[in-house]
């Protein structure tokens, strides 16, 4: 059962990663990358690495997603000024 | 043509290397080498019930100091790069107020999230988690504040003081280990105590508290720098209240 769940999570991560690469718009791509991190953190938890799972959930899925969004916002507002 | 041949050769070469690696791979059925030593000796040597913490803070303490330094440099770089450009953007229309749900949830949850972050790094030697995780959780509370109120200001003097004090304490504890115990960042400068107690495992709780505070303040600083300076909070707040 847990092996199936791990497999499903792995496939979901690959799908999310492909979406992050292939999506044309930046913001959905960032969200997809955050989703990959979220699945990864659940996967770490299942693979008995709660320490890494906490880091991945807080930094990978939470902070870095928002930092990317802030960065995109900043670069875009610079472009529109010209 | 040559480029393609080289590419094909590289692909085939790496394919060969990885196939042989995969075919000859057998899962380890027992711990070997240094891992076995850590698992069997850690509790009596260092007294931390969370093995990961003992490895991260003590056995591989220098790496952790390096990681903290890297994060510090990253935060400094962000603030240097973003401070220099004092962008005076024409504000793109009035910002939409965040929803009532977000406001209420933030007011309710922020203290608990900060407390949970502190819990994670104080209990780093007992339960999963530690300085980095706790610091990141605290920073996510700051992020929640920013999401609710884009003009939330942080007290830089307090942040700076906490950040530099905790960093200095971390290095100082490490140097004390050099004189009082077995080496740099040795946690046995304090009595190990009874494993499982909150005041046990020597200096690990002190070190992880320092790391937690440092990481939390640094990440909060990065977030604030990326968000941009708090502009005219009074005006917008009044507008928000008037509505």
């Amino acid at each position: 059962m847990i092996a199936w769940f791990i497999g499903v999570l792995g496939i979901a991560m690959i799908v999310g990663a492909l979406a992050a690469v292939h999506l044309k718009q930046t913001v959905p791509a960032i969200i997809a990358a955050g989703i990959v991190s979220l699945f990864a953190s659940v996967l770490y938890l299942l693979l008995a690495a709660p320490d890494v799972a906490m880091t991945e959930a807080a930094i990978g899925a939470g902070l870095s997603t928002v930092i990317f969004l802030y960065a995109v916002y900043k670069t875009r507002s610079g472009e529109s000024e010209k | 043509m040559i480029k393609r041949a080289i590419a094909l050769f590289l692909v085939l070469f790496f394919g060969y290397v990885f196939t042989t690696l995969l075919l000859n791979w057998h899962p380890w059925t027992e711990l070997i080498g240094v891992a076995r030593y850590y698992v069997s000796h850690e509790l009596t040597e260092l007294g931390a019930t969370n093995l990961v913490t003992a490895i991260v803070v003590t056995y591989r303490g220098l790496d952790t100091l390096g990681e903290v330094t890297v994060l510090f440099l990253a935060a400094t770089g962000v603030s240097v790069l973003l401070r220099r450009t004092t962008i005076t953007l024409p504000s793109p229309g009035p910002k939409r107020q965040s929803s009532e749900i977000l406001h209420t949830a933030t007011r309710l949850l922020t203290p608990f999230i900060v407390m949970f972050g502190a819990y994670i790094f104080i209990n780093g030697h007992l339960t999963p988690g530690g300085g980095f995780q706790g610091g990141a959780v605290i920073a996510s509370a700051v992020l929640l504040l920013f999401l609710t109120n884009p003009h939330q200001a942080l007290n830089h003097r307090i942040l700076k003081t906490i950040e530099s004090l905790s960093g200095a304490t971390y290095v100082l504890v490490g140097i004390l280990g050099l004189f009082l115990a077995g080496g740099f960042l040795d946690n046995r400068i304090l009595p190990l105590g009874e494993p499982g107690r909150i005041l046990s495992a020597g200096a690990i709780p002190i070190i992880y508290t320092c790391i937690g505070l440092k990481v939390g303040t640094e990440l909060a600083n990065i977030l604030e720098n990326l968000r941009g300076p708090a502009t005219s909070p009074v005006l917008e707040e009044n507008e928000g209240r008037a509505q």
Side-chain angles (χ1 to χ4, degrees):
Chain A
M1 183 61 205
I2 203 154
W4 275 102
F5 198 47
I6 287 172
V8 169
L9 275 174
I11 291 167
M13 275 174 70
I14 293 172
V15 170
L18 286 176
V21 172
H22 286 288
L23 278 174
K24 289 275 180 266
Q25 289 158 305
T26 324
V27 174
I30 292 171
I31 304 289
I35 288 173
V36 173
S37 279
L38 198 64
F39 284 138
S41 75
V42 180
L43 200 55
Y44 290 141
L45 196 65
L46 290 177
L47 295 175
D51 298 75
V52 192
M54 283 162 90
T55 318
E56 186 70 45
I59 294 181
L63 292 178
S64 70
T65 308
V66 175
I67 284 176
F68 279 143
L69 287 176
Y70 271 138
V72 163
Y73 171 72
K74 271 204 177 309
T75 46
R76 266 188 196 163
S77 56
E79 273 171 14
S80 65
E81 233 179 336
K82 282 172 190 171
Chain B
M1 192 60 207
I2 295 174
K3 255 187 193 172
R4 285 202 172 177
I6 291 174
L8 186 69
F9 173 73
L10 277 178
V11 166
L12 285 177
F13 174 70
F14 279 111
Y16 170 72
V17 168
F18 284 119
T19 326
T20 40
L21 275 179
L22 199 65
L23 288 178
N24 294 323
W25 184 76
H26 300 289
W28 297 108
T29 48
E30 56 179 19
L31 295 170
I32 51 147
V34 77
R36 180 197 280 175
Y37 177 83
Y38 287 158
V39 170
S40 53
H41 290 70
E42 187 276 322
L43 200 61
T44 47
E45 261 187 18
L46 303 180
T49 46
N50 183 8
L51 182 65
V52 177
T53 296
I55 293 172
V56 166
V57 177
T58 306
Y59 291 124
R60 295 278 179 268
L62 204 58
D63 295 14
T64 309
L65 186 60
E67 277 175 42
V68 171
T69 315
V70 166
L71 188 64
F72 171 68
L73 286 178
T76 318
V78 167
S79 61
V80 165
L81 285 174
L82 292 178
R83 280 283 162 73
R84 192 174 290 165
T85 53
T86 46
I87 318 161
T88 46
L89 285 173
S91 91
K95 273 184 186 157
R96 191 155 52 93
Q97 286 282 317
S98 46
S99 71
E100 187 63 38
I101 297 172
L102 191 58
H103 263 289
T104 314
T106 304
R107 212 173 291 161
L108 195 69
L109 284 179
T110 309
F112 289 106
I113 296 176
V114 173
M115 192 173 75
F116 183 55
Y119 168 85
I120 289 176
F121 64 67
I122 287 173
N123 284 286
H125 55 304
L126 306 176
T127 50
F132 286 98
Q133 291 89 337
V137 169
I138 289 179
S140 65
V142 175
L143 173 65
L144 199 56
L145 282 180
F146 284 165
L147 286 182
T148 319
N149 178 13
H151 303 294
Q152 183 78 39
L154 297 181
N155 190 331
H156 281 274
R157 189 171 295 167
I158 292 181
L159 281 187
K160 250 184 238 169
T161 315
I162 292 175
E163 203 263 326
S164 31
L165 267 184
S166 51
T169 314
Y170 182 19
V171 177
L172 197 71
V173 168
I175 294 173
L176 275 180
L178 213 53
F179 292 111
L180 301 177
F184 189 61
L185 284 172
D186 195 329
N187 72 330
R188 286 168 291 188
I189 57 171
L190 295 171
L192 288 184
E194 189 184 329
R197 294 287 178 112
I198 192 151
L199 286 177
S200 67
I204 287 181
I206 300 175
I207 292 174
Y208 248 2
T209 307
C210 289
I211 295 178
L213 291 175
K214 197 168 161 60
V215 169
T217 47
E218 276 164 2
L219 288 177
N221 222 337
I222 290 179
L223 282 173
E224 205 211 5
N225 280 317
L226 277 167
R227 180 206 56 172
T231 46
S232 65
V234 185
L235 190 82
E236 291 236 347
E237 257 181 33
N238 286 345
E239 277 176 6
R241 273 178 202 149
Q243 280 168 2

